[in-house]
Amino acid sequence: QHKFWETQPVGQFKDVGNSSLPEGPIELPKPLSEVKQEPYNLPNLYEWTVCDMESDEICNEVYVLLTNNYVEDDDNLFRFNYSKEFLRWALHPPGYFQSWHIGVRVKSSKKLVAFITGISVKMRVRDEVVKMAEVNFLCVHKKLRSKRLAPVMIKEVTRRIHLENIWQAAYTAGVLLPTPVTTCQYWHRTLNPKKLIDVGFSRLGDRMTMSRAIKLYKLPNSTSTPGLRKMELRDVPAVTRLLKNYLSQFIVAPDFDDIEVEHWLLPQENVVDSYVVESEDTREITDFISFYTLPSSILNNQNHSILKAAYSFYNVSTRIPLLQLMNDALIIAKQKDFDVFNALDVMENECFLKELKFGQGDGQLYYYLYNYRLSNALKPSELGLVLL
Ligand code: NHW
Ligand code: EN5
């Protein structure tokens, strides 16, 4: 059934529900001298390449590969269109390894036809902090699908992660593999109803007209929370404290320090937006919200080619109810001309999804850990992790 995944140190389907297996690493680390020193073999026409995303030329090749071949929805109406600036941001966090940005080229033409990446992260699982990799952007050109290239790429990124003495990883996928830590739902808050309907992202339900939809999803022109402003560099220590404290309630969550908060949350135009609430009397930072920009290409539409989507990232509420903060996030996203605001049912997001008129999407997102067993699957609300 899963000829590749059966051979890997991941929870297997046959073990689901068997809570007698111990929690923690499935395999022990090997001495680095026992890690395979040479790359895995690719089919003869192909070769490995390290992708220096700092290079405009290489970053552009990766961008083109993903733009044409990365994840689509179930009906192939949309395909993720990560921008070059976004890819640079996603792949250059503090302490990144260039050797984990792995491409496959055709030997003869040098055309880039496959890609996979890792970045490193400290992940807390219950009360243990584990150095892990986050693996993302696995992509094989449409013309090379189903040739078992993906398992080779996964083994190669695993080998290079092992060479850095890291033995666990976290990843997400829209497909079911052995075996999820949790299964999350995508939810979508319409900001631009006319466009979403025109392009087939949503439909007018029964007894819903276009003018009723426009009225239903209308938002105020300005945010409601006093003291809400864009996050600045000077806010980093306060945001780190808020985030650390907030994420401590979840069973699996990243453990970010100031340097990582600066990287992941300091606003970058068309990449990531963050806002803090600064108390008007104490000047304290009490809350914050963030979302990242991930457009999708609209496949085969006469009128529109890009769907502008914001994705809820990390949000922390201490003084202001999360519902009110997220309503402000919607207002800001609308102001910035996003068509839709997306969120997963992770963390405490359930508390605002229905109330703020998010609708359940047709996509699921499965979260996985590599070489780390949990005795039971988690609820989405027990997860404090958002991957890009
Ligand atoms: S999820 C997005 C993945 N990318 C896409 O969906 C883009 C469009 N699709 C493609 O490019 C975010 C291809 O269909 C891909 C598969 C490349 C997906 N994860 O080469 P074959 C991520 O990037 C298994 C893991 O013939 P293909 C996360 C499949 O189950 N495995 O297929 C990435 C089968 O194995 P099985 C996946 O269609 C996490 C085998 O691949 C998968 O030509 C990676 C078939 O290979 C997926 N999304 O190419 C794991 N999709 O056992 C990281 C399919 O069932 C693990 N497969 O026979 C951690 C490593 C680090 C550890 C460090 C200690
Ligand atoms: C991890 N780094 O399926 C990424 N998206 O619901 C890899 N559906 O946009 C894994 N099919 O429901 C990614 N509109 C896995 C997700 C892949 C992309 C995907 C889904 C998530 C999505 C939209 C469009 C569906 C088009 C037809 C959707 C309905 C919205 C509607 C708004 C009004 C109220 C009801 C819901």
Side-chain angles (χ1 to χ4, degrees), residues 70 98 128 149 224 257 266 325 333 365 367-368:
Y70 201 50
Q98 189 170 99
E128 208 193 347
L149 211 51
S224 68
D257 60 21
L266 204 61
L325 292 169
L365 188 65
Y367 278 76
Y368 302 95

Side-chain angles (χ1 to χ4, degrees), residues 67-356:
T67 297
N68 296 322
N69 300 280
Y70 201 50
V71 179
E72 300 180 5
D73 69 298
D74 286 344
D75 301 306
N76 313 102
L77 295 177
F78 307 98
R79 189 185 307 125
F80 284 148
N81 182 209
Y82 288 91
S83 69
K84 290 182 239 186
E85 311 73 71
F86 189 111
L87 292 170
R88 285 212 171 97
W89 171 68
L91 295 175
H92 288 166
Y96 76 91
F97 298 101
Q98 189 170 99
S99 58
W100 295 4
H101 304 160
I102 308 171
V104 173
R105 294 185 188 278
V106 176
K107 274 183 188 161
S108 57
S109 64
K110 305 294 169 191
K111 182 183 158 81
L112 184 72
V113 292
F115 192 58
I116 190 168
T117 69
I119 57 173
S120 73
V121 64
K122 296 186 292 303
M123 196 74 73
R124 187 181 48 72
V125 183
R126 301 194 199 277
D127 54 14
E128 208 193 347
V129 178
V130 185
K131 265 273 218 159
M132 295 197 187
E134 286 176 359
V135 176
N136 203 350
F137 304 114
L138 168 60
C139 182
V140 168
H141 193 286
K142 287 182 183 235
K143 296 215 161 134
L144 299 179
R145 296 278 169 88
S146 307
K147 298 178 183 298
R148 312 299 299 183
L149 211 51
V152 185
M153 303 199 60
I154 293 166
K155 284 189 277 183
E156 182 60 14
V157 78
T158 300
R159 188 184 71 82
R160 296 187 196 192
I161 293 166
H162 285 164
L163 286 173
E164 303 297 340
N165 204 17
I166 293 174
W167 303 87
Q168 272 72 35
Y171 51 104
T172 57
V175 295
L176 178 61
L177 302 165
T179 53
V181 166
T182 185
T183 302
C184 296
Q185 271 294 321
Y186 278 101
W187 289 72
H188 308 282
R189 176 38 161 102
T190 299
L191 301 175
N192 185 348
K194 179 151 191 322
K195 178 166 165 186
L196 293 191
I197 290 160
D198 285 349
V199 302
F201 188 92
S202 63
R203 28 207 305 181
L204 285 173
D206 296 339
R207 281 164 267 106
M208 181 60 81
T209 61
M210 188 63 83
S211 55
R212 279 197 63 200
I214 291 169
K215 188 167 159 209
L216 177 65
Y217 293 117
K218 206 167 163 54
L219 286 162
N221 285 317
S222 52
T223 56
S224 68
T225 306
L228 183 72
R229 59 162 175 82
K230 221 169 161 63
M231 180 185 171
E232 299 172 18
L233 186 57
R234 62 184 165 104
D235 301 320
V236 164
V239 168
T240 307
R241 275 196 300 277
L242 276 176
L243 192 59
K244 260 195 187 300
N245 186 48
Y246 180 72
L247 292 179
S248 70
Q249 68 185 294
F250 304 106
I251 294 174
V252 175
D255 179 37
F256 290 138
D257 60 21
D258 286 338
I259 305 293
E260 292 166 315
V261 164
E262 176 178 339
H263 179 84
W264 292 121
L265 291 170
L266 204 61
Q268 284 199 50
E269 204 175 343
N270 300 319
V271 174
V272 62
D273 281 281
S274 304
Y275 289 79
V276 297
V277 180
E278 178 175 340
S279 150
E280 295 189 313
D281 34 305
T282 68
R283 303 273 113 190
E284 260 184 310
I285 306 300
T286 59
D287 309 84
F288 79 92
I289 50 180
S290 62
F291 53 86
Y292 60 85
T293 298
L294 168 50
S296 283
S297 304
I298 303 171
L299 310 174
N300 318 313
N301 187 278
Q302 306 283 78
N303 300 317
H304 297 102
S305 58
I306 287 285
L307 184 78
K308 203 178 166 199
Y311 286 75
S312 174
F313 198 29
Y314 292 97
N315 307 299
V316 177
S317 116
T318 71
R319 287 284 137 75
I320 309 293
L322 189 58
L323 183 78
Q324 178 182 330
L325 292 169
M326 294 310 295
N327 195 238
D328 282 343
L330 296 176
I331 293 166
I332 294 165
K334 174 72 192 171
Q335 230 94 88
K336 292 182 178 267
D337 207 39
F338 286 94
D339 298 313
V340 62
F341 191 102
N342 299 332
L344 292 161
D345 54 359
V346 295
M347 296 184 265
E348 298 183 293
N349 291 356
E350 286 278 14
C351 83
F352 64 77
L353 293 170
K354 286 184 174 155
E355 187 92 354
L356 295 180

